[in-house]
Amino acid sequence: MIQGQNVWAHPYTYQGTYSFLLEYVDKCKKGEIIIGNELMIQLDILMEYFDNPEIKVDFEDGHKRIKFIETKCKHFEAPFAGKPFLLDIFQKAFVEAIYIFKIFDEEIDRWVRLHQDVLFVVARKNGKTPLVSALCLAEFFCGEIGTRILCSSNDYEQADLMFQAINSMREESRSLEKVTRSNIKGIFFGNPKKPKKNGKFSYKNKGTIKKISAKTGAKEGKNIKIGAVDEVHELKDNTSTMPIRQAVSTQDEPLYIELTTEGVINDGYLDERLREARQVLNGEIERPRWLIWLYTQDSEQEVWQNEKSWVKSNPGLGVIKKRSFLKKMIEEAKTSKSMRVFVLSKDFNIKQNNATAWLSPEDILSEDNFEIEDFRNAFAIGAVDLSKSGDLASARVMMMKPGSQKKYFLQKYFIPESKLLDLPKEEFEKYQAWIRKDLVIVSPGNENDFSLVTAWFVKLYKEFGIRCYKVGYDKWSAIYWAKEMDSYGFECVRVSQEFGSMSEPMKLVEADLKSKLINYNNNPIDKYCLENTALNINTKQEIMPVKVQGKEEKKIDGAVTMIIAYRVYIDNRTEFLSLVGR
């Protein structure tokens, strides 16, 4: 129901026109729709506009685009593929909020849209990309001739998701498809099979829809009318967004939309934008042309204690996003730090620091010491994290007993003599204690002597018969060391310290530590390294180790070699366990 449908006496009408925004606000105020405090503040601001004599309320543009989306656009992905794109009330209210408020621009002597900058934050799987994609397509057809639209994101793949969503909706509609064309460069008006000589749908309309990524720059960003940037939480700064914002500034009625979930990048672009946005909502700074539409929780505590609050960050819950899926994510988040970080940031828009401690003190606690004699003539998996100079190096072997899932670690650390002299007094005394206990081997001079690392592996074999099945090492380590190990009969395999290779073993190390399936012989340096280790997480929910924020001078090498050992174990589990069982 949009206009002229017997709505004159309805409480959600304004000057005879039905308003989805008024309906949404009323239901939010009554508690029929649950939203967070930040969105409620923005809605209160919008309600003031209805009584502001300097702002004109005009529903035509907003309702035209809502009607276009619901009658011309179709979903293209399961389980809604082929079905009309029927908007929920929160989506209609959002579109209305963008379009219905007008202010008079004296420079061009006409009324123009008030909101020209939009920040839309909503949890994943709530249809944000399809919604903004449909809005871009609506603007392409409903806007003026020559409308140029640019889809952008941190990487080309994410930018392509929005572009493909737009193109798929175009292809699903026969009436839209027959007056447009697309190729690898973009979407254009004019169909070579059914050409039109003149008018909006002819080749004379130079409107386009294109895509770029932050990595390719904004070379295509000159003089565009609509700019939509997806997943801005991945951006470290504004170097890729500013060219787009400047490009739309040449238009009389530009529209720049940033859509995203929360993220884990510290002091990134989204952090700064949200700081400014919250200042606007709190009345500390004035940005009347910025529509700030935040679906956020009011606290982390309510996520765990009140399931009804989940809809604050998930307005599509039960319609677009399955409640059962979210329940499953919550249960997994209770036992996994990486899942907790991912779920709170991506499913509830609660910012997570990607450099907070990975493990709790209880997780790190090891069992009583074991004797190396228990593993005489055992097979092992080796791992090293080598540092040429000025740093700690770590080497270890991982051993198992037949019929058991428990992993036992023997380890040795290495440090250059010059590094010790540069340490603060407290750290120096700590390292001196470790050296006296033969936990650390000191290399003379300014560099670690990798031959000492080799000698340690050789010693384990000669004195205790511990044979390394394979030894994992970081790809940045000296290749000469690997050749030296090979000369002694050790097979070394590279394990790159990247998300793809480190994520799975890091998650398994965490699970085994929590289950007390790791015994690192109560080595204090292992404990020290585990305490200093944080996790970094990407959009694919992959993780890798980093240093806890504020502890950049601390070391995590021991934790890294545990993860490297687990990587080799995972890749060779069957064969290694068969050797253990001999």
Side-chain angles (χ1 to χ4, degrees):
M1 182 165 58
I2 294 181
Q3 195 168 354
Q5 297 186 23
N6 193 26
V7 297
W8 297 96
H10 201 283
Y12 300 146
T13 61
Y14 179 82
Q15 297 182 349
T17 302
Y18 191 93
S19 171
F20 300 109
L21 179 60
L22 288 177
E23 177 187 357
Y24 187 62
V25 173
D26 184 64
K27 290 183 176 180
C28 290
K29 293 286 187 181
K30 291 177 178 177
E32 296 176 24
I33 297 175
I34 301 173
I35 62 172
N37 183 58
E38 291 181 323
L39 182 56
M40 186 65 79
I41 294 173
Q42 176 65 84
L43 295 181
D44 287 339
I45 294 171
L46 297 181
M47 289 303 97
E48 295 176 1
Y49 293 163
F50 284 92
D51 299 319
N52 189 330
E54 296 184 357
I55 295 177
K56 182 172 74 172
V57 180
D58 184 350
F59 292 93
E60 182 179 356
D61 288 343
H63 285 187
K64 184 177 183 180
R65 283 150 182 79
I66 291 172
K67 183 178 180 180
F68 176 90
I69 292 171
E70 295 199 317
T71 59
K72 295 296 184 180
C73 297
K74 292 182 180 181
H75 291 284
F76 58 93
E77 292 180 322
F80 307 109
K83 297 179 181 179
F85 200 131
L86 302 180
L87 299 174
D88 203 328
I89 181 63
F90 80 90
Q91 296 170 317
K92 292 179 181 179
F94 174 63
V95 175
E96 263 197 20
I98 295 174
Y99 284 96
I100 67 174
F101 301 109
K102 312 282 186 177
I103 59 171
F104 190 78
D105 190 322
E106 295 182 355
E107 185 177 2
I108 59 176
D109 196 32
R110 68 179 179 89
W111 292 87
V112 297
R113 186 182 350 96
L114 169 65
H115 293 128
Q116 299 183 356
D117 193 348
V118 179
L119 176 61
F120 182 36
V121 178
V122 66
R124 64 173 177 153
K125 303 301 181 184
N126 280 276
K128 71 179 186 305
T129 301
L131 173 61
V132 175
S133 299
L135 190 58
C136 287
L137 191 60
E139 192 64 39
F140 192 53
F141 279 87
C142 300
E144 60 187 334
I145 291 178
T147 293
R148 299 182 65 197
I149 299 172
L150 195 62
C151 306
S152 179
S153 189
N154 184 54
D155 57 53
Y156 194 78
E157 182 180 353
Q158 187 66 41
D160 189 55
L161 287 179
M162 184 183 293
F163 178 82
Q164 292 302 331
I166 295 172
N167 193 42
S168 295
M169 291 180 202
R170 180 192 70 87
E171 292 177 335
E172 284 287 332
S173 172
R174 293 185 62 186
S175 60
L176 302 184
E177 196 270 341
K178 71 180 183 180
V179 295
T180 53
R181 68 191 189 279
S182 68
N183 55 38
I184 59 173
K185 293 184 177 180
I187 299 171
F188 310 88
F189 278 109
N191 190 323
K193 296 181 180 179
K194 297 179 181 180
K196 293 180 179 290
K197 292 184 179 180
N198 296 294
K200 189 173 185 178
F201 303 138
S202 70
Y203 276 76
K204 291 184 179 180
N205 184 351
K206 302 304 181 183
T208 62
I209 303 177
K210 293 185 177 183
K211 58 190 171 183
I212 62 168
S213 74
K215 295 180 175 63
T216 59
K219 296 178 181 179
E220 297 291 335
K222 296 180 180 179
N223 197 27
I224 60 174
K225 184 177 181 181
I226 312 294
V229 187
D230 201 358
E231 301 296 10
V232 296
H233 69 87
E234 296 181 358
L235 302 176
K236 294 182 179 180
D237 53 42
N238 66 355
T239 54
S240 60
T241 59
M242 282 308 297
I244 299 174
R245 295 180 69 182
Q246 291 168 354
V248 301
S249 66
T250 61
Q251 300 289 321
D252 291 342
E253 289 191 87
L255 182 58
Y256 173 73
I257 304 176
E258 293 175 335
L259 58 152
T260 189
T261 59
E262 253 295 4
V264 294
I265 292 179
N266 299 326
D267 298 321
Y269 174 74
L270 181 60
D271 289 334
E272 180 60 29
R273 288 289 274 174
L274 284 174
R275 275 193 290 270
E276 292 182 1
R278 285 164 178 145
Q279 286 178 307
V280 172
L281 294 178
N282 292 331
E284 298 169 14
I285 58 177
E286 189 175 350
R287 300 276 176 82
R289 314 213 70 167
W290 193 10
L291 179 64
I292 301 164
W293 204 267
L294 309 180
Y295 284 106
T296 52
Q297 300 291 141
D298 293 324
S299 71
E300 180 180 330
Q301 185 178 22
E302 67 181 357
V303 171
W304 309 106
Q305 297 180 354
N306 183 10
E307 183 179 326
K308 291 182 179 179
S309 76
W310 294 355
V311 74
K312 291 181 181 180
S313 49
N314 294 273
L317 193 62
V319 179
I320 303 172
K321 186 172 184 174
K322 290 187 176 295
R323 188 175 294 273
S324 59
F325 166 81
L326 199 49
K327 286 182 178 180
K328 180 175 179 253
M329 294 295 100
I330 283 288
E331 289 304 311
E332 291 185 29
K334 291 177 181 178
T335 58
S336 168
K337 178 62 183 289
S338 61
M339 181 62 76
R340 181 188 179 95
V341 169
F342 191 82
V343 168
L344 288 177
S345 62
K346 309 307 291 182
D347 286 309
F348 295 101
N349 282 327
I350 298 174
K351 176 61 188 260
Q352 298 295 292
N353 190 329
N354 69 341
T356 55
W358 168 39
L359 302 163
S360 70
E362 293 76 20
D363 298 334
I364 296 172
L365 287 177
S366 180
E367 294 182 351
D368 294 336
N369 294 13
F370 63 87
E371 297 296 331
I372 191 171
E373 283 291 342
D374 295 341
F375 292 93
R376 181 170 288 278
N377 298 322
F379 280 96
I381 286 175
V384 297
D385 184 25
L386 303 179
S387 174
K388 186 69 175 175
S389 62
D391 207 350
L392 191 68
S394 171
R396 72 178 57 245
V397 293
M398 184 182 85
M399 302 165 294
M400 299 177 68
K401 294 180 179 180
S404 172
Q405 291 297 311
K406 187 172 290 188
K407 287 85 175 174
Y408 297 83
F409 285 113
L410 291 173
Q411 56 287 102
K412 188 70 71 174
Y413 289 87
F414 306 82
I415 192 170
E417 185 178 23
S418 62
K419 177 64 177 180
L420 285 172
L421 301 177
D422 294 335
L423 290 172
K425 181 180 179 181
E426 183 179 342
E427 287 287 298
F428 178 79
E429 292 175 352
K430 182 189 298 183
Y431 273 84
Q432 285 292 82
W434 291 341
I435 293 168
R436 286 193 295 269
K437 293 179 181 179
D438 195 30
L439 303 178
V440 180
I441 295 176
V442 180
S443 295
N446 299 318
E447 297 182 341
N448 269 314
D449 184 353
F450 291 168
S451 66
L452 297 176
V453 178
T454 304
W456 181 73
F457 282 103
V458 172
K459 180 180 178 181
L460 286 178
Y461 176 69
K462 288 185 175 181
E463 294 188 9
F464 301 99
I466 295 175
R467 292 162 286 180
C468 283
Y469 162 65
K470 289 183 180 180
V471 180
Y473 71 105
D474 176 23
K475 68 177 181 179
W476 301 112
S477 303
I479 195 169
Y480 297 105
W481 173 83
K483 289 181 178 180
E484 181 184 44
M485 288 285 284
D486 181 68
S487 70
Y488 282 93
F490 294 97
E491 181 181 352
C492 295
V493 293
R494 288 188 175 187
V495 177
S496 60
Q497 292 188 27
E498 298 172 346
F499 283 111
S501 58
M502 300 296 274
S503 181
E504 185 182 8
M506 188 174 181
K507 290 177 181 178
L508 186 54
V509 169
E510 178 184 354
D512 279 359
L513 281 168
K514 290 178 182 293
S515 301
K516 303 306 175 187
L517 291 177
I518 288 179
N519 188 329
Y520 55 84
N521 221 17
N522 274 318
N523 185 287
I525 313 181
D526 276 9
K527 183 175 182 292
Y528 166 81
C529 290
L530 290 170
E531 289 171 342
N532 298 330
T533 304
L535 61 86
N536 194 4
I537 187 167
N538 66 10
T539 55
K540 298 178 182 178
Q541 207 176 333
E542 295 174 332
I543 63 175
M544 64 179 292
V546 293
K547 294 179 180 180
V548 170
Q549 192 171 30
K551 292 186 176 182
E552 286 76 13
E553 79 286 354
K554 306 295 185 180
K555 305 304 175 188
I556 65 171
D557 306 74
V560 171
T561 51
M562 281 190 187
I563 297 168
I564 290 175
Y566 264 66
R567 176 76 271 170
V568 178
Y569 167 72
I570 290 170
D571 292 342
N572 302 275
R573 184 187 281 112
T574 302
E575 188 173 355
F576 177 67
L577 290 178
S578 69
L579 294 173
V580 170
R582 287 184 180 179

